[in-house]
Amino acid sequence: MMTEETKSGQEQPVHKRRIHYSGKYPRHFAEKYKELNPEKYQDEIRHVLAKGNTPAGTHIPIMVKEILDILAIKPGERGFDATLGYGGHTLAMLAKLQGKGHLYGGDVDPIESKKTEARIRAKGYGPDIWERRQMNFCEIDKLAEEVGPFDFVLADLGVSSMQIDNPERGFTYKSDGPLDLRLNPQAGISAAERLQQVSLDELIGMLQENADEPYAEEIARQIIRTERHRAIRTTRELYEVIEKALQKVRLQRDEKDRLPERRDLIRKSSARVFQALRIDINHEYEVLYEFMEKLPAALAPGGRAAILTFHSGEDRIVKKAFKTFYKQGIYEDIARDVIRPSREECYENSRAHSTKLRWAVRAK
């Protein structure tokens, strides 16, 4: 808190006015002070949720009921929430433990995971039943060696809403901010730095493999062309480069014989480009491969695992690993078909649309 010194030499807190915004509703992250204080402004939160939106700086856990049905958590068991995030799934799993057993929450993000720890502690869960671990979930083997094998494991591979919403993290083209995209901003290089060192062929491959971008070559060429003259440092600058790259793309008629709007084309391609960059700089595929390889050994006999994926690349890795270990007899059962969120959940939470859920059970 800011302070100022009085004549008596004592420091007094300086009143800091909240940010004002123009119009009826706040548009920028910092202006949404009510949404950013869910404990204080419950009516505002209910209003945002009723419209099918996610309050700024929060996250709505996806497919909670389906996950709990799969994991079948019993009091006294040991579990691992491999991607802690906002803690919604963790709280649901802790409730199932009924005060008996232990749950570990891992997350590579040092910023948001500390906030989540404070929220969970405020709910009355102490270190006797729940612990936060600052770690990448591919290090599950080290944790299992330390604490013992797990009866249940959950991995939610999506980027949390509070990371996406905060423009300082650079996860979205919708708000201007530094082009960062790191899940752990204290490690590795930012997306802006990555674009300064990538070759044209490598960038085209990245956009195709990580996001199935149909205009990968056009976008990659424009990015490389721009980088030769000036560095792309912000999310808005990258969006403008993508927009320029797609200005001359000839739009095709869809099955209803209507021309889609160019801005919709730019919006979808921008989302895919940001996804591809995020996957690349965080080494998400490599980390997921490693996690899937180590998962069976970290599960106790009869242990259950549930994994939420959000795009085809992730789902293919999970599906293949589960099938391979099932054929080897390491898993006694796996999901035959992918499980999708209900229509009602997708309506209430627009970020659930692309979710796929798969599960596996360790052989006894």
Side-chain angles (χ1 to χ4, degrees):
M1 180 181 291
M2 294 177 62
T3 61
E4 63 179 7
E5 193 171 321
T6 63
K7 291 181 180 179
S8 61
Q10 295 180 329
E11 290 187 344
Q12 297 293 328
V14 175
H15 176 66
K16 188 176 181 181
R17 299 181 65 184
R18 66 173 175 82
I19 298 173
H20 287 275
Y21 52 88
S22 59
K24 188 175 181 181
Y25 299 109
R27 297 183 61 186
H28 302 294
F29 184 76
E31 296 170 349
K32 299 179 180 181
Y33 68 98
K34 291 184 178 179
E35 292 182 47
L36 293 167
N37 290 276
E39 301 298 328
K40 186 177 180 181
Y41 297 100
Q42 289 294 319
D43 289 342
E44 182 73 17
I45 298 304
R46 281 191 288 269
H47 176 67
V48 173
L49 292 172
K51 294 193 298 181
N53 296 328
T54 302
T58 67
H59 183 80
I60 301 173
I62 297 173
M63 299 182 75
V64 175
K65 180 183 182 302
E66 292 87 344
I67 288 169
L68 293 179
D69 288 344
I70 289 167
L71 296 182
I73 299 168
K74 303 176 184 66
E77 291 187 324
R78 181 188 298 115
F80 179 43
D81 186 346
T83 48
L84 177 61
Y86 196 74
H89 288 121
T90 284
L91 289 171
M93 291 188 285
L94 282 169
K96 287 292 182 180
L97 286 177
Q98 299 178 17
K100 301 175 183 177
H102 207 89
L103 180 62
Y104 296 86
D107 205 301
V108 71
D109 187 334
I111 299 171
E112 293 298 335
S113 63
K114 289 179 182 178
K115 298 177 186 177
T116 298
E117 179 175 19
R119 283 191 295 269
I120 292 175
R121 295 287 182 237
K123 298 287 185 182
Y125 294 106
D128 58 316
I129 192 168
W130 180 79
E131 291 180 47
R132 176 181 72 91
R133 293 296 180 98
Q134 178 68 42
M135 59 178 285
N136 196 305
F137 73 125
C138 69
E139 299 173 311
I140 187 174
D141 57 328
K142 296 178 182 177
L143 182 60
E145 287 174 7
E146 176 189 343
V147 305
F150 300 105
D151 299 298
F152 60 94
V153 170
L154 169 66
D156 177 350
L157 304 183
V159 178
S160 295
S161 298
M162 63 274 189
Q163 294 168 321
I164 296 172
D165 291 340
N166 188 348
E168 294 180 5
R169 303 298 300 273
F171 280 98
T172 177
Y173 64 91
K174 295 180 181 179
S175 301
D176 196 21
L179 187 59
D180 196 310
L181 287 165
R182 285 175 293 177
L183 295 172
N184 181 358
Q186 299 171 359
I189 64 171
S190 69
E193 293 171 302
R194 179 73 171 113
L195 288 181
Q196 292 175 35
Q197 59 182 226
V198 70
S199 68
L200 174 61
D201 289 342
E202 190 178 7
L203 184 54
I204 292 172
M206 181 198 304
L207 298 181
Q208 291 173 336
E209 294 169 19
N210 293 357
D212 299 317
E213 172 52 49
Y215 302 107
E217 186 170 346
E218 291 88 343
I219 294 171
R221 287 187 182 281
Q222 188 61 50
I223 288 174
I224 297 299
R225 192 178 298 122
T226 303
E227 283 285 352
R228 288 173 183 163
H229 299 284
R230 60 176 177 84
I232 302 170
R233 299 186 181 278
T234 70
T235 55
R236 192 65 197 175
E237 287 174 357
L238 178 57
Y239 176 82
E240 290 170 353
V241 170
I242 298 168
E243 186 178 37
K244 186 174 181 179
L246 298 179
Q247 284 302 324
K248 295 181 180 179
V249 170
R250 184 176 180 181
L251 299 177
Q252 301 295 320
R253 292 183 180 273
D254 60 18
E255 67 275 7
K256 295 182 180 179
D257 200 36
R258 292 193 305 231
L259 283 174
E261 293 190 23
R262 189 173 296 275
R263 63 184 178 185
D264 189 51
L265 171 74
I266 295 169
R267 178 181 61 82
K268 290 179 179 178
S269 282
S270 295
R272 289 190 289 262
V273 170
F274 274 72
Q275 172 185 301
L277 271 173
R278 191 202 75 227
I279 290 171
D280 180 82
I281 65 167
N282 291 294
H283 311 291
E284 292 182 27
Y285 285 162
E286 295 90 338
V287 167
L288 181 55
Y289 273 119
E290 190 173 345
F291 172 76
M292 296 305 298
E293 286 288 324
K294 295 175 177 178
L295 178 59
L299 287 170
R304 292 82 61 197
I307 301 181
L308 285 172
T309 65
F310 292 82
H311 54 82
S312 58
E314 290 176 340
D315 184 60
R316 282 193 295 268
I317 295 172
V318 173
K319 180 181 179 180
K320 183 177 180 180
F322 278 169
K323 287 182 70 175
T324 298
F325 288 125
Y326 175 70
K327 289 178 180 178
Q328 294 175 4
I330 295 173
Y331 289 128
E332 67 178 29
D333 199 9
I334 60 172
R336 297 301 189 276
D337 298 304
V338 69
I339 304 170
R340 303 299 295 263
S342 66
R343 183 180 298 177
E344 292 75 20
E345 180 167 9
C346 289
Y347 175 78
E348 293 173 359
N349 181 8
S350 61
R351 291 174 179 174
H353 282 282
S354 60
T355 311
K356 295 179 180 179
L357 173 62
R358 293 188 185 274
W359 55 267
V361 179
R362 182 76 159 85
K364 295 184 177 67

